[in-house]
Amino acid sequence: QVVPRSLGTHCFLQRRYDISNGVQAFQVSWTSKASAAQRAGRAGRTGPGHCYRLYSSALFETYFEEFSQPEILRMPIEGVALQMKSMHIDAVVNFPFPTPPDRASLKKAEDILTHLGALTAPQSNIDLGGKITEIGRAMSLFPLSPRFSRMLVSGRQHGCLPYVITIVSALSVGDPFLREEAITAEESDDEESESEELAHLTSDAVKAKEARRLRRK
């Protein structure tokens, strides 16, 4: 008889919002206690089984939250607001969300969309929000942050779309450079192989030039 088993993972990729640059990115985060308990339950779906945790009880009690935070509370809301406006849901601040975001966040999201040209400006202080514009409808077609989708729309309007696509792609993946502390551990191995490749050279100037070439490579 096969006994079902489950390996309890302790971390996962979670989409996070970086307030400093207004960009979403996937980051490795601790799982929640509720998710860990749900994972353990999978070991006994078809029969008695075991769940092997890949972390200590001290780690579980100290770093794991009780429940995972809903995604709508840990992501920028302007993308959701734009999608709702494109579906003719104008009163976004009054929408009955299962887990409602802060009203101030919703108002800020509409202000950002207005500045981007995706929404018309409210006509009065009691107005429930602006209407979506043609630019806003074009922006809502892209599965991107409204800031990035606005860049693509503008790039198309001004005939420089290939260049804007390159810029948006670079901004979407975060920092593409390796920092010095990230490659320190690899330097010792690289130096040994580099010495072997430079052993046949006699001139110090040529050897230094070749060493620089190898490092760049």
Side-chain angles (χ1 to χ4, degrees):
Q1 181 182 2
V2 178
V3 179
R5 288 178 171 85
S6 173
L7 287 176
T9 55
H10 63 285
C11 56
F12 64 105
L13 277 177
Q14 187 179 59
R15 187 162 59 177
R16 294 284 187 177
Y17 175 54
D18 190 343
I19 299 177
S20 61
N21 57 19
V23 177
Q24 299 179 70
F26 285 96
Q27 298 178 356
V28 177
S29 305
W30 299 114
T31 190
S32 66
K33 294 179 180 179
S35 296
Q38 188 266 351
R39 172 67 63 177
R42 294 185 180 181
R45 284 187 296 182
T46 59
H50 304 278
C51 176
Y52 297 98
R53 303 288 191 188
L54 302 183
Y55 43 83
S56 65
S57 58
L59 183 68
F60 180 80
E61 295 296 338
T62 305
Y63 294 100
F64 287 26
E65 297 180 354
E66 290 293 336
F67 300 97
S68 299
Q69 189 180 32
E71 186 175 7
I72 198 170
L73 298 181
R74 52 181 168 83
M75 64 180 289
I77 203 66
E78 55 260 26
V80 175
L82 180 60
Q83 292 297 325
M84 294 176 67
K85 292 286 185 177
S86 68
M87 298 166 61
H88 306 288
I89 304 175
D90 293 324
V92 175
V93 293
N94 293 336
F95 188 80
F97 292 95
T99 305
D102 184 65
R103 289 179 65 90
S105 299
L106 290 171
K107 181 64 170 64
K108 181 180 178 181
E110 292 200 17
D111 291 341
I112 292 174
L113 293 174
T114 301
H115 291 312
L116 292 174
L119 302 179
T120 60
Q123 300 300 317
S124 64
N125 293 333
I126 61 174
D127 198 347
L128 294 179
K131 307 293 184 180
I132 191 170
T133 64
E134 290 301 318
I135 292 178
R137 293 196 182 279
M139 291 168 55
S140 67
L141 300 177
F142 296 98
L144 295 168
S145 165
R147 293 176 175 86
F148 292 156
S149 59
R150 183 65 173 92
M151 291 172 63
L152 294 177
V153 172
S154 296
R156 178 67 177 86
Q157 291 174 335
H158 294 86
C160 56
L161 184 59
Y163 305 103
V164 176
I165 289 176
T166 303
I167 295 172
V168 170
S169 300
L171 292 173
S172 300
V173 299
D175 192 349
F177 299 103
L178 292 175
R179 299 303 175 187
E180 183 177 355
E181 57 270 16
I183 61 175
T184 301
E186 302 175 3
E187 288 183 348
S188 57
D189 295 335
D190 293 341
E191 289 176 357
E192 183 177 350
S193 60
E194 180 180 304
S195 299
E196 295 175 356
E197 294 188 44
L198 300 177
H200 67 284
L201 300 177
T202 57
S203 172
D204 292 338
V206 175
K207 186 177 293 187
K209 183 177 179 180
E210 184 67 12
R212 287 194 297 271
R213 186 190 68 80
L214 291 174
R215 288 194 182 95
R216 285 197 300 270
K217 181 180 178 181

